[in-house]
Amino acid sequence: MVDERITEVRTPAGDTHTTHTVVTDGERRGGGSGWVIALVLIVALIAAIWFFSGMSNSESAKDNAIADAASDVGNAAEQVGNAAQDAADNVTNNN
């Protein structure tokens, strides 16, 4: 319901001042801005989850590559040790 009030006040000098007031008691109708903000927040949340999960996968891949490289270095060191042992055995057996 809309109630419109117009008030006129006259001063002793004869001047007239008018005040116009509108009062509404109806339900508030919102635009679509609330839905737009909610949609933007959902998209931002999905993007953040995708970004952070991608970072987690790259960290895991980096850790796996380092572990594989360390394993390869360990295998190479073992082969060098075996070769040195074989050389020492050949020197001992030939004397």
Side-chain angles (χ1 to χ4, degrees), residues 64-79:
N64 288 340
I66 291 172
D68 290 343
S71 176
D72 291 344
V73 168
N75 290 338
E78 184 178 346
Q79 290 174 355

Side-chain angles (χ1 to χ4, degrees), residues 21-61:
T21 306
V22 177
V23 179
T24 60
D25 291 335
E27 65 182 59
R28 182 177 159 249
R29 293 196 51 172
S33 64
W35 288 104
V36 171
I37 291 171
L39 183 63
V40 168
L41 289 175
I42 290 170
V43 169
L45 180 64
I46 291 170
I49 290 170
W50 177 77
F51 178 73
F52 286 120
S53 69
M55 284 180 50
S56 174
N57 290 339
S58 67
E59 288 290 324
S60 176

